Structure formats: structure tokens, C-alpha cells
Amino acid sequence: MTDDQARHHVRFVLVRTSHPGNIGSAARAICTMGFERLDLVTPQRFPDPEADALAAGAPGVLDGAGVHGDLPQALTGCSLALGLSARRRGVTLPELTPQEGARQAWQAASEGREVALVFGNEQSGLANDELAHCHAMVRIPSVEDYSSLNLAQAVQVVAYELRLAMLHGVDVEMPKPGDPPANLDQMEQFFMHLTQALEDIQFHKGRSPRTIELRLRKLFLRARPDQRELRILHGILAEAQRVQRKLEKALAGD
Ligand code: SAH
């Protein structure tokens, strides 16, 4: 795959952006580094003249931007999502430097996989629930007590590192024979099944399910299962649900 094809597999996702000027500046930032795919999740104001002004004409990026109702929708088709965060959060993901993140992202894009770089809201950053859709977190190593960059400047740093990865090249692995890796849509379907199955078998016993769910998401995202492995896991869950229903029926018949 050529670099020109690979760059179309990279999308920059801005989540719940408050300031339209940041959307414009982010569009300019990615454009200067040779990228053009921008996806917005529930932006506060978009389209907006301030976004247009700060994009400085970045050819077509704002016109082509996707606007989505939630993060999973913006990640449709992706098999790698990296969440940008200045802070380490409760359920820790593997943490990468911008250089490591960019190299992984560019490698995946060069293999024809869809890749997302996900950026949070200006005030609150990425919420735990949003980071839970990401395979790893990327932290720009800013100073401890003033760590938060302006959103568009964080986008610029990552776009620059991706550009370096593109210029220096990365070892592109040939796609492995066998089943393709599960993409994030398939992972979401699996997580919904897992949540339902744990509820059906009354796994939580009245405790809050959220922490366990976040930990399990982390585990399965780290494992990066392929589609066949995911089918096996679905099969196991379906069997547990079937046995549970049978048991409940038998008990009701007593
Ligand atoms: N107050 C927020 C910061 C939001 S800045 C917080 O503490 O999380 C807006 C976005 O820019 C962040 O969500 C993140 O995606 C990106 N960003 C800013 N500084 C960063 C850093 N040092 N490392 C990685 N991403 C950063």
C-alpha cells in the first residue's frame, strides 16, 4: 500500500469539542501533515464561522468532516483506536509516547487497517467511558503540574509524529493468513453480549457492574481477538445464557 493510500486510513476524532476555533485549528494541523479525515462527536457548535476562520482554508477537511452522535459511531470500522489523554485514569490502559503511538498507528494504516486518534473535550478531557473504547492511551510528556495542551496543539503533535513515521517508514507486516482481526464494531457487539450474559447469570450479586465491565473491556481489547475467536466467545456466552434459562425454567416448575 502506498503512503497516499495509507493516510486515508487514519482519522482524527474530536469528542465533545466546546470551541469551534479548536475544530478549525485541528483541521489545519492535520492538513499540514498530510492527513484529511476529521470526525466530530457531538461538537457544541459545528459548522461555525470560527471553525472556518481558524482552518485557514485547510482544503476540504471541514467540509468532509463526519459528525457523529457517539464515539462508537465515529469509530465504525476501526481496528485500532488510541486515546489522547494528559492524565492517567482509573482503569489504566497501556500508555504510549506520541512516537510509539504514531508508529503503531502508521503501521496499522499501512497494513490497510482503519485507525483512530481520539481527543477529548477541552475542559474535561476523555471520560473513562470514552477511553474504554481505546486500545491504548497516548500521553504527550508535558510537565506534571501544567500538563494539558490546547486541544488543537495536541492534535498537531500527534499529526507531526505520524508524519515522521510516514517519512521514516515503519516495518509493515504482511497481513497474517487466517481470520481477520475483529474491528471495534464487532468488539462492541461482543461487549454488549458479555454485559447481558453477566446480568443473566447474576454474576454481579448486587455489586456495581461498571468497574468489572471496564476491566473486562480492557482485557479483551488488549487481547485483540480475531473474528473466529470472537465467535467462540459469543458461543460460550450464549451457552451460559441457555443453561441459565433452563435452570430458571426448572426452578419455576418446582
Ligand atoms: N482538562 C483536560 C484536558 C483537556 S485538553 C484533562 O485534564 O484531561 C483537550 C484534549 O487535548 C485532551 O482530552 C487530550 O485529548 C489532548 N491533550 C491535551 N494535553 C495532552 C497531553 N499532555 N497528552 C495527551 N493528550 C493531551
Side-chain angles (χ1 to χ4, degrees), residues 68-220:
H68 307 275
D70 57 30
L71 182 55
Q73 205 191 338
L75 296 180
T76 301
C78 282
S79 62
L80 178 66
L82 301 178
L84 271 286
S85 178
R87 285 182 293 158
R88 301 181 174 98
R89 303 286 173 140
V91 176
T92 48
L93 289 171
E95 187 181 307
L96 306 174
T97 63
Q99 187 186 33
E100 290 164 342
R103 291 181 66 82
Q104 286 193 18
W106 186 247
Q107 171 146 1
S110 304
E111 290 164 13
R113 293 158 55 200
E114 290 290 318
V115 176
L117 288 316
V118 185
F119 297 80
N121 164 271
E122 293 90 330
Q123 283 77 40
S124 53
L126 284 173
N128 275 337
D129 278 10
E130 291 162 346
L131 271 174
H133 294 281
C134 300
H135 292 91
M137 180 190 131
V138 175
R139 198 172 63 85
I140 300 167
S142 44
V143 295
E144 281 278 313
D145 54 355
Y146 195 66
S147 61
S148 184
L149 279 75
N150 162 268
L151 169 60
Q153 289 172 354
V155 171
Q156 184 75 75
V157 169
V158 174
Y160 170 68
E161 286 293 347
L162 273 161
R163 173 96 179 131
L164 289 186
M166 181 194 302
L167 293 175
H168 297 160
V170 286
D171 302 329
V172 176
E173 282 180 32
M174 290 317 286
K176 295 183 192 64
D179 289 85
N183 64 34
L184 282 168
D185 319 356
Q186 292 158 336
M187 291 305 290
E188 278 315 305
Q189 277 169 17
F190 169 67
F191 291 135
M192 274 178 348
H193 194 179
L194 180 61
T195 301
Q196 187 58 50
L198 291 179
E199 201 179 296
D200 289 353
I201 65 170
Q202 293 161 35
F203 176 77
H204 300 296
K205 309 271 180 308
R207 291 169 307 217
S208 156
R210 199 57 195 145
T211 313
I212 297 273
E213 278 173 19
L214 287 174
R215 287 202 171 274
L216 290 173
R217 287 185 76 100
K218 194 182 137 198
L219 166 69
F220 286 111

Side-chain angles (χ1 to χ4, degrees), residues 227-245:
Q227 296 186 6
R228 178 197 282 261
E229 289 163 339
L230 217 52
R231 281 198 297 277
I232 296 171
L233 290 169
H234 272 296
I236 295 171
L237 294 178
E239 184 60 15
Q241 288 172 305
R242 192 186 67 78
V243 171
Q244 175 74 17
R245 277 196 300 275

